[in-house]
Amino acid sequence: MAEPGHSLHPSARGRGRTEPRTFRLLRLLLWVGTAFQVTQGAGLELHACKESEYHYEYTACDSTGSRWRVAVPHTPGLCTSLPDPVKGTECSFSCKAGEFLDMKDQSCKPCAEGRYSLGTGIRFDEWDELPHGFASLSTNMEIEDSTLESTENCTSSKWVPLGDYIASNTDECTATLMYAVNLKQSGTVNFEYYYPDSSIIFEFFVQNDQCQPNADDSRWMKTTEKGWEFHSVELNRGNNVLYWRTTAFSVWSKVSKPVLVRNIAITGVAYTSECFPCKPGTYADQQGSSSCKLCPANFYSNKGETSCHQCDPDKYSEKGSSTCKARPACTDKDYFYTHTACDANGETQLMYKWAQPKICSEDLEGAVKLPASGLKTGCPPCNPGFFKTNSSTCEPCPYGSYSNGSGWEVAGDHIYSAVGASDNDFMILTLVVPGFRPPQSVMADTENKEVARITFVFETICSVNCELYFMVGVNSRTNSPVETWKGSKGKQSYTYIIEENATMSFTWAFQRTTFHETGRKYTSDVAKIYSINVTNVMDGVASYCRPCALEASDMGSSCTSCLAGHYIDRDSGTCHSCPPNTILKAHQPYGAQACMPCGPGTKSNKIHSLCYNDCTFSVSTSTRTFEYNFLALEKTVSLAGGPSFTSKGLKYFHHFTLSLCGNQGRKMSVCTDNVTDLRIPEGESGFSKPITAYVCQAIIIPPEVTGYKAGVSSQPVSLADRLIGVTTDMTLDGITSPAELFHPESLGIPDVIFFYRSNDVTQSCSSGRSTTIRVRCSPLKPAPGSLSLPSKCSDGTCDGCNFHFLWESVAACPLCSTADYHAIVSSCVAGIQKTTYVWREPKLCSGGISLPEQRVTICKTIDFWLKVGISAGTCTAILLTVLTCYFWKKNQKLEYKYSKLVMNATLKDCDLPAADSCAIMEGEDVEDDLIFTSKKSLFGKIKSFTSKRTPDGFDSVPLKTSSGGPDMDL
């Protein structure tokens, strides 16, 4: 690298001389001293120096801005008697472009023919090797040494000279191309660059001698889609260090395309002491040229030529060539055919033409001839929306009518990519649409941003690594790539949704090979486009009629627009509202079948344009009904996967942003590409807008790795554009959320699964991407909870198309109900009893109803009832005792009287022997003892009394005789 303050060669080839530096003066003094010693030591007399043996240089400028012109020999010690130093020109002196400073007389003179100069500038236009003064450095962006030990280093990741240009690296290393220059006056640096791949960060900036970068908004370079771009930056006086720096951030196993730089020119150096010869392939036919002209095709030139030489007839060359190449034999790939305008008879002529520039020869063996032109065929049908006039031309159909074409035709039923000057040329096709006129129902939908759509059918036939790009530009801004197809692709259709009503440009670019080699080797590789259809175009034409809603007017019936969410009845032409929880197909709103039902757990918005979930859900099981409210989870959350590393050790993360239920169907997650944003001046909005979705993903490279102030966020993609449904089932609409991807649920509460689909259809995901978010009740994780990725798929997906997440939170638990708590009744204390309600453990609910308040009731204590019971029992016992005694005594008297009556009745019937003793008349109390003289218990006596009744109804009473004989029954 040429450091500030040192001399710099004025071209990539090191030609010419710039202003001398102080060290050259020191070298001159050293030479003078050496020559003096040689002369003294050898005693040889040196000859006087000839003009061819020395040259002139300027000393360094002093503080007054002056300098001296001195003569410096080419080889010190060979001659003497050099011219004396003379006063030099002012330090700010410079010559105009096309002139050089003749140091002999210190005046500006024009360059000779075949040579050029920039005046105060230097140019680098040959890159066979790295020019003198340039340096190429490379560093690994990963700082951690442990990572570097296991990965490849970046020593070979540098800028590589490739003839006419220099190419950057394409890996994850940072490659820097540097050049230092000292300017005596303000100047500029300009160069051409080719920057096709946005997965590479390309920056150009300038630092002064204090290593302070210049304040310039153009540091971040813009991508190029249509070839080389020109870039210019102003330079300040003094030392300037120029930096071209690239870093690739492609982590999808994709090889990035290098950045190419050529024709670097710097102005502001002090002077140019000689003119430079034109490089091969260029010439200068006039004196005082500031640049050289390119030789035309089939011409060539050598170095320093004043004109170009024509190639021999059997050879050819491309523009700016230094040699001629032998012409190959012509094949059927070297010509193409076109159709002339249709004549009055509805016929067209088939015209054959050689592809230009023509490089093949018809005279070689095996060469084909150009087929004869003029064959008449029937005119192809007009494109959809056009009709054939009487003059056989195609004109747009008038308003209210239509036509049915069969395709967008150039070569029969398709258009195809022509043969270019080189295989790496881009074949460009551009379609500009001034604006759109979407239906009223589409305009009323504030969330569904579809204004129109473009659909095209294409095919690529390739033998090498061809590429077909589809790019979109908005309001004349730079086109941004939307999709790329590599290699051969069968006939297929692609649809792009237009979400902004603006002037849109659609560009198809086909490149046969990415190798920057001249020539035609793969002319048989071709891209074909069979049809292109753009809907809702302003001032467009109709390709078919569609039914419309009718309204009555003075002039009869006329078409009118249905309100948003209404479909058209084909038979009556009237508008009808779609049923609840259905969405209307806006582009085909005919019949009730146009209203599509929403998925489970979702409902439609007011205009029936989308289905959404309001963060609530209900599901019934055999035991109970679970009600959910996920409002605590409605805000967007982010999740980063584990660190990943590329082959060069670049550390990056997959960063996900999730919005569970959005905001009334509005997608809330945003992923950005801040690399693209850095290229757009502040205050302006570019086409590369942030991705907005339910779930989106971006690649994040942390700032400690990139060395920038902020981390790099690139390659954002949408993973969820539409909510399909919410359910506890594992499969919905062909999307499956395998339970085995996450640790099993153990609380008995079913997981609620949100199912989403993306609108993006890629080559690897033909049905688009899908996403599932499994929401699980976790009482120990407060809102918003935690997100996790499948343990087996750390990037969130196992196949690149289906993404799965687990969201655990207490807010994911069902709402609390009466089944989630129970009552605890306290004992009666001081006549008061309390009933307390508590949650069942573990608590598996959140929100919902609250616990009932504690209930207090009046009660009687156990001591009071014990006293009452004892008192009542005592009274009852006493009463029973008294009654027993009373009835027993009563029974005794009755028994005696009865016995007496029986005895009296017996004595009247017969006389018995006189008793030893008769009844005592006075009082008769003693008679009671006479009946029970035998020893019997109370129960025995009662038994005897009850069992001695005679059959005639009388009781038998035992009596004792006076003689003591046996008892006699009476």
Side-chain angles (χ1 to χ4, degrees):
M1 181 185 75
E3 298 180 358
H6 288 209
S7 64
L8 293 172
H9 289 273
S11 74
R13 299 171 293 280
R15 300 185 297 268
R17 308 183 185 280
T18 59
E19 182 182 1
R21 305 291 184 263
T22 304
F23 83 95
R24 290 195 174 184
L25 181 59
L26 296 177
R27 187 180 66 180
L28 175 63
L29 296 177
L30 179 62
W31 171 81
V32 172
T34 303
F36 178 77
Q37 292 179 0
V38 171
T39 303
Q40 295 295 327
L44 298 177
E45 184 176 353
L46 301 178
H47 66 278
C49 291
K50 302 177 182 179
E51 289 188 6
S52 60
E53 295 178 327
Y54 65 88
H55 61 272
Y56 292 105
E57 291 185 3
Y58 281 125
T59 63
C61 296
D62 57 23
S63 59
T64 62
S66 302
R67 57 186 175 183
W68 292 82
R69 189 202 71 176
V70 296
V72 179
H74 299 321
T75 304
L78 295 182
C79 62
T80 185
S81 301
L82 292 171
D84 296 330
V86 297
K87 185 74 172 180
T89 60
E90 296 296 327
C91 291
S92 59
F93 175 82
S94 62
C95 295
K96 298 179 180 179
E99 298 179 342
F100 72 99
L101 180 63
D102 188 347
M103 295 294 290
K104 184 175 182 180
D105 55 11
Q106 300 191 68
S107 63
C108 294
K109 295 183 179 180
C111 293
E113 296 177 357
R115 305 176 75 86
Y116 77 98
S117 79
L118 300 178
T120 61
I122 51 179
R123 176 178 291 164
F124 303 92
D125 53 10
E126 292 187 40
W127 298 91
D128 297 320
E129 60 183 1
L130 197 64
H132 178 73
F134 280 87
S136 180
L137 306 177
S138 60
T139 57
N140 193 309
M141 297 189 66
E142 180 57 62
I143 298 176
E144 300 177 6
D145 294 336
S146 60
T147 304
L148 288 175
E149 293 176 359
S150 60
T151 60
E152 300 177 44
N153 56 41
C154 293
T155 56
S156 59
S157 299
K158 298 182 179 181
W159 287 78
V160 181
L162 295 175
D164 292 333
Y165 51 81
I166 185 169
S168 74
N169 65 321
T170 57
D171 52 24
E172 300 83 19
C173 300
T174 297
T176 305
L177 181 67
M178 303 172 59
Y179 185 76
V181 63
N182 183 277
L183 301 185
K184 295 302 180 182
Q185 60 186 14
S186 298
T188 60
V189 54
N190 53 72
F191 57 90
E192 295 179 69
Y193 71 97
Y194 178 68
Y195 178 21
D197 198 337
S198 61
S199 63
I200 293 182
I201 291 183
F202 177 33
E203 52 180 328
F204 171 75
F205 58 96
V206 182
Q207 288 186 347
N208 56 25
D209 48 8
Q210 280 82 37
C211 295
Q212 297 296 324
N214 294 353
D216 195 343
D217 293 336
S218 60
R219 170 171 182 157
W220 307 99
M221 309 302 293
K222 297 180 180 180
T223 54
T224 59
E225 290 84 21
K226 297 182 180 180
W228 294 84
E229 296 284 347
F230 181 83
H231 187 70
S232 180
V233 175
E234 294 184 358
L235 300 178
N236 297 324
R237 180 181 176 182
N239 293 324
N240 293 269
V241 184
L242 315 180
Y243 292 88
W244 292 265
R245 178 179 293 171
T246 57
T247 305
F249 292 111
S250 180
V251 296
W252 300 102
S253 301
K254 170 188 173 185
V255 178
S256 303
K257 295 181 180 179
V259 176
L260 309 181
V261 175
R262 70 182 183 185
N263 295 336
I264 300 176
I266 303 172
T267 63
V269 296
Y271 65 92
T272 299
S273 61
E274 65 175 333
C275 296
F276 314 127
C278 294
K279 69 175 185 177
T282 64
Y283 70 100
D285 56 355
Q286 296 178 355
Q287 289 186 350
S289 297
S290 60
S291 62
C292 298
K293 303 175 184 178
L294 294 175
C295 289
N298 297 324
F299 285 80
Y300 74 97
S301 70
N302 296 316
K303 185 176 182 180
E305 292 278 6
T306 60
S307 63
C308 297
H309 310 286
Q310 188 171 9
C311 297
D312 295 335
D314 60 342
K315 294 183 179 180
Y316 77 98
S317 69
E318 297 173 352
K319 188 176 181 180
S321 298
S322 59
T323 59
C324 295
K325 302 177 182 178
R327 292 183 181 271
C330 290
T331 66
D332 56 358
K333 303 301 182 182
D334 291 311
Y335 64 83
F336 64 97
Y337 64 91
T338 60
H339 293 276
T340 62
C342 289
D343 57 22
N345 297 324
E347 293 182 329
T348 179
Q349 286 184 314
L350 202 60
M351 306 299 293
Y352 292 91
K353 298 179 181 179
W354 291 111
Q356 296 299 325
K358 182 183 177 183
I359 62 174
C360 64
S361 174
E362 303 175 58
D363 301 327
L364 297 177
E365 182 180 358
V368 300
K369 300 292 183 179
L370 187 67
S373 300
L375 177 64
K376 289 189 175 183
T377 59
C379 288
C382 292
N383 289 330
F386 291 77
F387 73 100
K388 189 173 296 185
T389 64
N390 294 331
S391 59
S392 298
T393 60
C394 292
E395 297 291 341
C397 294
Y399 180 77
S401 60
Y402 75 100
S403 73
N404 186 8
S406 61
W408 190 42
E409 302 167 3
V410 169
D413 64 344
H414 66 275
I415 59 174
Y416 62 94
S417 57
V419 177
S422 178
D423 285 337
N424 64 353
D425 289 345
F426 281 97
M427 302 294 105
I428 305 295
L429 172 67
T430 300
L431 172 64
V432 178
V433 178
F436 302 92
R437 187 179 56 187
Q440 181 179 352
S441 59
V442 175
M443 296 296 292
D445 188 357
T446 58
E447 179 57 26
N448 185 4
K449 301 299 183 181
E450 180 177 340
V451 173
R453 59 177 59 192
I454 178 172
T455 303
F456 58 92
V457 179
F458 70 98
E459 179 185 18
T460 57
I461 303 173
C462 303
S463 58
V464 288
N465 58 336
C466 70
E467 294 186 1
L468 175 63
Y469 298 87
F470 175 62
M471 298 174 286
V472 178
V474 181
N475 292 333
S476 301
R477 294 199 185 105
T478 304
N479 289 336
S480 296
V482 173
E483 188 60 78
T484 304
W485 296 271
K486 296 183 179 181
S488 296
K489 297 297 177 184
K491 191 174 181 180
Q492 57 187 274
S493 174
Y494 178 81
T495 298
Y496 174 77
I497 304 299
I498 302 165
E499 298 183 345
E500 183 176 356
N501 194 350
T503 299
M504 307 288 292
S505 64
F506 305 100
T507 302
W508 294 263
F510 179 70
Q511 188 181 36
R512 288 177 169 83
T513 178
T514 57
F515 297 109
H516 289 267
E517 298 177 357
T518 58
R520 300 173 183 165
K521 298 180 181 178
Y522 311 108
T523 55
S524 59
D525 294 1
V526 65
K528 298 180 181 180
I529 298 179
Y530 294 90
S531 65
I532 301 175
N533 181 41
V534 186
T535 64
N536 301 333
V537 176
M538 184 183 298
D539 299 327
V541 293
S543 58
Y544 60 93
C545 285
R546 298 192 303 178
C548 67
L550 300 176
E551 65 176 354
S553 64
D554 296 338
M555 303 298 294
S557 298
S558 61
C559 284
T560 185
S561 298
C562 288
L563 297 176
H566 289 64
Y567 66 89
I568 302 173
D569 186 276
R570 288 182 179 271
D571 298 329
S572 63
T574 56
C575 299
H576 301 273
S577 176
C578 279
N581 297 329
T582 61
I583 57 174
L584 178 66
K585 295 188 293 184
H587 296 278
Q588 296 290 335
Y590 308 115
Q593 65 273 13
C595 301
M596 308 297 295
C598 292
T602 64
K603 58 185 178 181
S604 63
N605 57 0
K606 293 182 180 180
I607 60 175
H608 298 273
S609 62
L610 57 84
C611 298
Y612 71 97
N613 176 270
D614 58 359
C615 287
T616 61
F617 180 68
S618 176
V619 61
S620 298
T621 64
S622 57
T623 57
R624 61 176 291 187
T625 298
F626 293 98
E627 301 285 345
Y628 294 86
N629 189 321
F630 302 118
L631 288 176
L633 307 179
E634 67 176 350
K635 295 182 179 180
T636 57
V637 293
S638 298
L639 170 66
S644 301
F645 298 90
T646 63
S647 60
K648 293 290 185 179
L650 174 67
K651 181 170 69 174
Y652 64 92
F653 298 88
H654 290 282
H655 187 269
F656 302 94
T657 305
L658 296 87
S659 173
L660 185 65
C661 45
N663 180 11
Q664 297 292 313
R666 293 180 176 88
K667 296 167 285 190
M668 305 296 291
S669 299
V670 178
C671 295
T672 59
D673 184 347
N674 63 2
V675 176
T676 304
D677 294 341
L678 290 173
R679 306 186 191 120
I680 302 174
E682 186 176 357
E684 296 185 12
S685 60
F687 176 75
S688 298
K689 298 180 297 184
I691 297 295
T692 303
Y694 281 103
V695 182
C696 59
Q697 177 193 28
I699 301 299
I700 298 295
I701 302 170
E704 65 269 16
V705 175
T706 62
Y708 301 109
K709 294 182 180 179
V712 173
S713 173
S714 65
Q715 305 174 42
V717 294
S718 171
L719 305 181
D721 292 310
R722 293 176 289 117
L723 178 61
I724 304 300
V726 184
T727 179
T728 56
D729 298 333
M730 290 193 300
T731 301
L732 178 65
D733 193 32
I735 308 173
T736 301
S737 174
E740 61 271 12
L741 291 178
F742 304 99
H743 59 273
E745 186 277 325
S746 59
L747 300 178
I749 303 297
D751 293 341
V752 180
I753 308 174
F754 286 69
F755 292 84
Y756 309 86
R757 281 197 187 277
S758 171
N759 295 330
D760 295 336
V761 177
T762 63
Q763 298 182 54
S764 57
C765 304
S766 58
S767 300
R769 300 182 181 92
S770 66
T771 299
T772 65
I773 302 178
R774 183 179 288 264
V775 184
R776 176 173 296 176
C777 174
S778 181
L780 300 181
K781 295 183 178 181
S786 64
L787 280 166
S788 59
L789 299 172
S791 57
K792 298 180 181 179
C793 312
S794 59
D795 294 336
T797 177
C798 300
D799 56 8
C801 297
N802 301 295
F803 292 78
H804 307 281
F805 303 90
L806 175 63
W807 195 337
E808 298 176 282
S809 173
V810 65
C813 295
L815 296 177
C816 294
S817 64
T818 55
D820 294 303
Y821 66 83
H822 61 94
I824 298 178
V825 181
S826 66
S827 60
C828 188
V829 178
I832 296 177
Q833 188 177 55
K834 297 180 180 180
T835 303
T836 305
Y837 300 91
V838 296
W839 297 112
R840 299 184 186 277
E841 294 297 336
K843 183 182 179 183
L844 303 179
C845 64
S846 174
I849 65 173
S850 302
L851 285 175
E853 296 182 357
Q854 188 181 59
R855 187 161 54 93
V856 178
T857 56
I858 299 175
C859 62
K860 302 297 184 178
T861 61
I862 189 172
D863 295 338
F864 172 80
W865 291 111
L866 181 61
K867 293 177 180 178
V868 172
I870 294 175
S871 301
T874 303
C875 294
T876 302
I878 295 173
L879 179 61
L880 291 175
T881 303
V882 172
L883 291 174
T884 302
C885 295
Y886 171 77
F887 284 111
W888 180 77
K889 187 67 175 179
K890 188 72 173 179
N891 186 62
Q892 290 281 16
K893 292 181 179 181
L894 292 175
E895 184 178 359
Y896 170 73
K897 291 180 179 181
Y898 181 72
S899 301
K900 185 176 180 181
L901 291 174
V902 172
M903 291 177 61
N904 293 335
T906 304
L907 291 176
K908 290 179 180 181
D909 294 333
C910 61
D911 295 330
L912 296 177
D916 296 333
S917 175
C918 295
I920 300 174
M921 297 302 292
E922 188 68 28
E924 297 181 350
D925 292 333
V926 184
E927 295 175 358
D928 297 338
D929 297 334
L930 297 178
I931 300 174
F932 303 101
T933 53
S934 59
K935 304 289 185 174
K936 288 186 179 180
S937 65
L938 175 63
F939 292 102
K941 293 177 179 180
I942 294 174
K943 182 179 180 181
S944 299
F945 176 76
T946 58
S947 61
K948 296 293 182 73
R949 187 178 299 270
T950 59
D952 57 0
F954 294 96
D955 295 332
S956 175
V957 179
L959 298 175
K960 289 185 178 181
T961 62
S962 58
S963 60
D967 295 336
M968 296 179 63
D969 294 330
L970 295 179

